Amino acid sequence: MMVFDGDRLYELRSDKGLTQDELGAIIYKSKHCVSHYERGTRQPDLDTVRRMADYFEVSVDYLLGRTRFPKLLERMLKHVLLNDMNDEDAEN
């Protein structure tokens, strides 16, 4: 079972200056659904999570609290940089 991180949704929505009504229209849900998602009293279905991820340009994993990095590219770059640093340490 997925566990949606409502706090992250609230932060993303607030950063964009959207109301719950406006976000609801974007993801095809009511203001009340958005409120429940943010408070953690309801879990969005997978299609809704995908819509949110697409709109906010973040990974689904970020919305599910599985990573601290909102963007997949940022996570991949960090992985590459850490591997490069580890390779350099191994050479020295």
Side-chain angles (χ1 to χ4, degrees):
M1 181 175 131
M2 75 175 175
V3 179
F4 184 78
D5 191 330
D7 291 334
R8 289 189 175 174
L9 176 61
Y10 173 80
E11 289 172 14
L12 290 167
R13 180 179 63 77
S14 296
D15 287 349
K16 286 248 187 198
L18 295 173
T19 65
Q20 289 178 338
D21 265 333
E22 291 168 331
L23 178 58
I26 291 165
I27 62 171
Y28 310 111
K29 297 292 179 181
S30 70
K31 169 188 174 178
H32 300 290
C33 282
V34 173
S35 176
H36 282 291
Y37 299 156
E38 290 181 354
R39 288 183 288 144
T41 56
R42 237 187 243 169
Q43 295 288 301
D45 58 52
L46 187 54
D47 286 335
T48 302
V49 175
R50 284 186 195 136
R51 277 188 222 110
M52 289 182 219
D54 288 346
Y55 178 76
F56 290 114
E57 298 178 336
V58 298
S59 69
V60 169
D61 280 347
Y62 180 74
L63 289 173
L64 298 179
R66 295 175 46 135
T67 181
R68 294 178 301 137
F69 305 102
K71 311 258 181 183
L72 180 59
L73 180 59
E74 290 173 19
R75 188 171 25 144
M76 289 172 33
L77 286 173
K78 180 179 180 187
H79 178 74
V80 168
L81 290 173
L82 287 176
N83 283 340
D84 284 349
M85 288 184 349
N86 290 338
D87 290 345
E88 288 175 14
D89 289 343
E91 291 174 3
N92 293 327

